Amino acid sequence: MAKYIEIANILRTDISNHKYSDQDPFPDQKTLAKIFATSRMTIQKSLNILSAEGLIHSKQGSGTFVSKNADLIVQTDLGVDQYVGTTSLLGNKHVVESQIIKFLIRYPDNAEQEALNISEKELLYDIIRLRIVDKEPYALEYSKMPVKVIPGISDEVLKKSVYHYIQSDLGFRIGSAFRKIGAVKPDNYDKMFLNCVDGDPVLEVSQTVYLDNGIAFEFSRTRHRYDKGNVTVFVKSNLER
């Protein structure tokens, strides 16, 4: 791994552990170069990564500072191979709430039948929830789940954590997911619930999630404001050097 990436990873962890306050200037390049026994050019590359991630920002004439929402950014940097709900991801350090926008039971359309491997006569839950973190809108979740696979979903479950209910109350284990990630334009719901405006990019994660027995239990898409979530990908090279 390149030196500047290693340093960026260390600094990111330090920020996550609150080693640096957002009230005080971040160590300058000369200081960091001395700490890590490297060049200022290498440190600049590391800081560029943190800046691009929104973890630090520069104030003209004052230096570089940790962003006030850095803690939330670090925790919402969801790995592409993680299959956890918002409450599990953020609930230890943040207040996570849910606003139910739509909740009904109906028959599936063709796309839902194919994604969930169910027949046209099998009922599913049709759910739209706004996820709220620390009183701020965080994500819009559009979920379809087969009633026979995940029985007993109620308003009470939706206001808390569906994934916790599936794993703790029903005793199921989540296996894997097929996930697509893309950028889209905001629609009316994004503008209404996520406070997006025309021109704001929206991160949309579409997925089909399976239990460990291979049964599909969720066909969903989650929409984030551009500044309310990231997705990371770790790529391991098989090339020999």
Side-chain angles (χ1 to χ4, degrees), residues 28-40 43:
D28 59 32
Q29 292 181 27
K30 183 177 180 180
T31 300
L32 290 173
K34 185 175 181 180
I35 291 172
F36 290 103
T38 190
S39 67
R40 291 182 63 178
I43 294 299

Side-chain angles (χ1 to χ4, degrees), residues 6 12 15 31 86-87 93 108-109 117 122 135 137 145 147 155 159 172 184 197 200 208 211 214 237:
E6 291 180 2
R12 187 186 299 107
I15 291 172
T31 300
T86 302
T87 303
K93 294 185 178 181
D109 61 26
N117 193 28
E122 296 181 70
K135 306 299 181 182
M145 296 184 181
V147 174
D155 284 14
K159 289 179 179 178
F172 296 155
V184 295
V197 299
D200 280 346
T208 302
L211 299 175
S237 174

